[in-house]
Amino acid sequence: MDIFLALGNVLTDPGLLGWVLTAAVVGMIAGAIPGLTASAAIAMLLPLTFYMEPISALAFLYVIGKSGRYGGSISAILFNTPGTAASAATQIDGYPLARSGMASKAMKVATISSVIGDFTGDILLIVGVGAIAAIALSLGPPELFAIYFAAFVVIGSVIGKSITRGLASAALGVLVSTIGLDPISAEDRLTFGVFDLTNGISLVPLMIGIFVLGEVFAQLEKRNASVEFVDDAQGQAGKARNRLSWSEYRACLPDVLRSSFIGAFIGILPGLGSSIAAFVAYGEGKRRAKNPDTWGTGVLEGVAAPEAANNAVSGPSMAPLLTLGIPGSTIGAILMGVFLIHGIQIGPTLFTTSRELIFNLFACGLIGIAMYGLIGYFGAAWVGRFITKIPVKVLYPIIFLTSFIAAFASRGNLFDILVMVVAGFGGWLMKKFDFNPAAFVISFVLAGGAEETFRQSLLLSHNGLLIFVTRPVALLFLIIGLAALIFRARALSQQAKEASLKDA
């Protein structure tokens, strides 16, 4: 019943509805611009929310994340350039459809599938999050530290192409988070005598640097690359080819429903994210298809499956954040910062202290899905044409300057601009050398909670580190983390062997 009351609250609040509508449009455009991800847009707009009501701030950024995931499909289909990593699988069949004059039909399939996947993920979140929170309330510091440990290992080993570089990115995030004063002894840690570092590294300029400036620097390297826009076939024949019939979409429904649950399951696991969900769903759809050889040549099911999966991740990825304080994605890490900035303590007690706010946020998410669905179904092609008219030489300098203003506005401190620039170069170098910026930022956010629970566990223990293996739940999560590492290593080894056999 809470969700129906929340829907009533949101629908009768014109101001909140306005923020949700704005977020649906902004996220769609940001996701559709090649290189500018939803994470980058959220990081850049985060300082704007400092002066908003908590529910408006959270809803604005949450819906940008949702519509941004969908917006990536616009550039994947129309430009053959995925706007986000999660849309790369959509590009495989979406662009051939566009090349054959059916761009609008592909966009309609992507929109409906994204909406169904997103609604499925959110409904599963709303139904199941209370039970997860109840379980989380029974966990003590050793169990919570074991969950943090498993999250570090899974995030570091699963994201990216290399386990070593992924774990190194996660370790670097933990190291940077320790800069400042020790929370118990108040001794300097890694400050090197610099006064501005005694308060630690602020999350906002760090994220703006990693996600926004890092991407601007990367785009500067590609500034001479041309982008091809593929429009619909013209005339009455073109309109007829782009009309989506019920029989055409009904054939996609099994893939959409299966992919929605695949995406929801992957979403609840910290670190895996929407790009992995999209490729798993695409692979499973192709494996089950009657004519798998046609996948990749422009089939509607090849657009529907990844789009349903990558949007179904959105809701469930909030479950570990809201119940355990562990962000499952980069967008979750940024939202965690918003909760903290507005003085809202996330974790299992969140549902007793801020229950109305959380269900209002869920309601905003559902309404945001409906809004980006309607806008996308009738206007995705227009958004694509609008983006082609924005000169890159104008867009990225504006983003660059906005980043400086946003970093300074977070605390009114010039040192934060220096942090942002250094983080920007760091993010650019990470991408260039296949390290993982997302693993770095999520680990940076998690490290404080992990340190706190680790110290609390040792205070409770009479046997030192053995407390983590003598408590069953803690031991289970340690095993899960190590098992994920071993399975990932075996999978990469198998891929390397297959690649060497093909080359031979």
Side-chain angles (χ1 to χ4, degrees):
M1 292 301 292
D2 288 319
I3 188 62
F4 294 111
L5 291 173
L7 281 168
N9 291 339
V10 177
L11 289 171
T12 54
D13 187 337
L16 189 51
L17 277 178
W19 284 116
V20 173
L21 175 62
T22 305
V25 175
V26 169
M28 191 185 304
I29 294 173
I33 295 174
L36 186 64
T37 63
S39 302
I42 292 174
M44 195 166 53
L45 294 171
L46 177 58
L48 180 68
T49 65
F50 290 171
Y51 310 102
M52 294 163 61
E53 291 294 319
I55 181 58
S56 300
L58 288 165
F60 181 60
L61 299 181
Y62 183 47
V63 176
I64 286 178
K66 284 179 168 296
S67 60
R69 280 189 179 95
Y70 158 70
S73 67
I74 297 175
S75 54
I77 292 170
L78 299 182
F79 308 142
N80 198 27
T81 305
T84 62
S87 305
T90 307
Q91 177 187 355
I92 299 172
D93 277 284
Y95 188 65
L97 281 166
R99 289 293 300 269
S100 59
M102 294 189 285
S104 284
K105 182 179 283 191
M107 285 308 313
K108 288 173 184 172
V109 170
T111 305
I112 298 170
S113 306
S114 298
V115 167
I116 293 175
D118 220 341
F119 265 123
T120 304
D122 271 22
I123 289 168
L124 291 175
L125 169 72
I126 293 166
V127 170
V129 74
I132 298 174
I135 295 171
L137 274 171
S138 64
L139 302 178
E143 288 79 14
L144 290 174
F145 174 74
I147 294 172
Y148 278 116
F149 173 82
F152 282 130
V153 175
V154 171
I155 290 165
S157 60
V158 171
I159 303 177
K161 300 174 184 174
S162 164
I163 292 178
T164 309
R165 290 174 183 175
L167 290 175
S169 304
L172 184 61
V174 173
L175 183 68
V176 173
S177 76
T178 61
I179 294 173
L181 297 179
D182 186 295
I184 294 179
S185 66
E187 292 181 359
D188 283 4
R189 297 192 304 197
L190 300 174
T191 60
F192 306 104
V194 178
F195 175 76
D196 288 306
L197 288 176
T198 54
N199 288 326
I201 300 295
S202 179
L203 180 62
V204 175
L206 181 81
M207 288 194 299
I208 293 173
I210 292 285
F211 292 130
V212 184
L213 276 197
E215 192 59 52
V216 170
F217 295 149
Q219 291 300 320
L220 284 175
E221 287 187 304
K222 308 174 189 172
R223 60 188 180 279
N224 294 324
S226 59
V227 176
E228 182 184 358
F229 174 73
V230 180
D231 210 343
D232 291 336
Q234 300 299 314
Q236 291 300 321
K239 289 182 180 177
R241 293 186 72 187
N242 279 285
R243 193 173 295 119
L244 180 65
S245 66
W246 166 241
S247 60
E248 286 176 313
Y249 195 75
R250 188 172 55 191
C252 300
L253 273 178
D255 288 288
V256 171
L257 297 176
R258 182 175 57 252
S259 301
S260 297
F261 285 99
I262 289 174
F265 176 72
I266 290 177
I268 204 168
L269 303 174
L272 294 188
S274 48
S275 55
I276 291 178
F279 278 104
V280 170
Y282 186 88
E284 184 61 17
K286 184 176 181 179
R287 190 181 70 80
R288 289 172 173 268
K290 291 179 181 175
N291 299 305
D293 292 340
T294 59
W295 283 55
T297 61
V299 296
L300 295 178
E301 293 88 338
V303 174
E307 278 305 302
N310 69 32
N311 285 278
V313 166
S314 174
S317 69
M318 293 289 286
L321 171 68
L322 297 176
T323 57
L324 298 167
I326 296 176
S329 63
T330 50
I331 292 174
I334 300 171
L335 287 176
M336 184 174 176
V338 182
F339 276 103
L340 297 177
I341 287 166
H342 287 277
I344 303 166
Q345 190 64 40
I346 53 177
T349 58
L350 181 65
F351 287 83
T352 54
T353 58
S354 306
R355 188 178 183 85
E356 183 180 351
L357 181 141
I358 295 303
F359 276 92
N360 283 347
L361 179 61
F362 292 160
C364 289
L366 294 174
I367 294 168
I369 296 169
M371 285 182 173
Y372 82 65
L374 287 171
I375 298 169
Y377 190 86
F378 295 106
W382 181 85
V383 171
R385 291 189 198 98
F386 171 72
I387 289 168
T388 58
K389 293 177 181 174
I390 304 175
V392 174
K393 291 179 181 177
V394 173
L395 177 65
Y396 283 98
I398 291 174
I399 294 172
F400 191 75
L401 289 174
T402 306
S403 301
F404 274 76
I405 296 169
F408 179 75
S410 64
R411 291 193 305 179
N413 188 342
L414 286 173
F415 183 73
D416 285 343
I417 292 179
L418 178 61
V419 170
M420 179 194 68
V421 173
V422 172
F425 278 109
W428 171 59
L429 290 173
M430 281 186 188
K431 286 187 174 184
K432 200 173 180 64
F433 295 103
D434 283 335
F435 285 81
N436 198 289
F440 169 82
V441 169
I442 294 174
S443 298
F444 175 85
V445 172
L446 289 179
E451 181 183 3
E452 182 182 352
T453 53
F454 181 73
R455 288 184 164 184
Q456 288 173 342
S457 300
L458 294 183
L459 289 173
L460 290 171
S461 173
H462 300 293
N463 299 308
L465 295 174
L466 288 178
I467 192 172
F468 298 114
V469 294
T470 54
R471 298 181 55 140
V473 176
L475 180 61
L476 173 66
F477 278 101
L478 294 179
I479 292 172
I480 288 173
L482 294 175
L485 182 63
I486 293 168
F487 281 125
R488 177 65 171 160
R490 288 185 61 182
L492 289 178
S493 173
Q494 186 67 30
Q495 288 175 9
K497 284 180 184 176
E498 290 174 0
S500 63
L501 286 174
K502 285 181 181 176
D503 294 339

